Amino acid sequence: MKPQNILLGKDGTVKLCDFGFARELSLDTLMVRSIKGTPLYMSPELVLERPYDHRSDLWALGCIVYELLVGTPPFYTHSIFQLVSIITQQPVRWPRGVSAELKDFLQGLLMKDPTLRLSWPELLRHPFIKDKVIGKRFQR
């Protein structure tokens, strides 16, 4: 997932697409091993060529929300070799003015260990999402 894969409709609908290689992942998908994607949004498990699942897309979601907030991805460099090191080892740098609620949400998505990463359905129950209109639409 990357910003170029997010389509916005006139009525405010949001759709995800992929014009390149695509793979369908579900909560039932155990692990995938092939690597596809844009390096700036790849999770630590992807750049280290380890097995991954749907939580890798949740990492990408965190990167996209961060980029929308700050203007650059949370892990950025022009060198692909440095990028792997940055993604796997460096902490996220937080700009001033980020609310505690948003920072907590993003920290949950940008956990380097995928087993600790904010996932479904906890993501929808997070105060940053739950109290928003979009969160209310998807709650059951």
Side-chain angles (χ1 to χ4, degrees), residues 14-15 19 25 27 30 38 45 64-65 73 77-78 80 102 114 127 140:
V14 177
K15 295 185 180 186
F19 296 110
L25 299 179
L27 292 177
L30 295 177
T38 303
E45 58 272 23
I64 291 168
V65 173
T77 181
H78 292 289
I80 190 72
L102 174 56
R140 294 182 183 174

Side-chain angles (χ1 to χ4, degrees), residues 36-85:
K36 304 215 179 347
T38 303
L40 290 171
Y41 308 98
M42 284 186 177
S43 63
E45 58 272 23
L46 268 173
V47 298
L48 293 172
E49 299 184 25
R50 294 184 178 150
Y52 63 95
D53 58 18
H54 67 282
R55 292 174 289 199
S56 203
D57 283 331
L58 295 171
W59 170 277
L61 174 64
C63 290
I64 291 168
V65 173
Y66 182 97
E67 184 173 357
L68 289 171
L69 171 73
V70 178
T72 60
F75 307 99
Y76 184 79
T77 181
H78 292 289
S79 165
I80 190 72
F81 300 107
Q82 286 180 337
L83 186 60
V84 171
S85 175

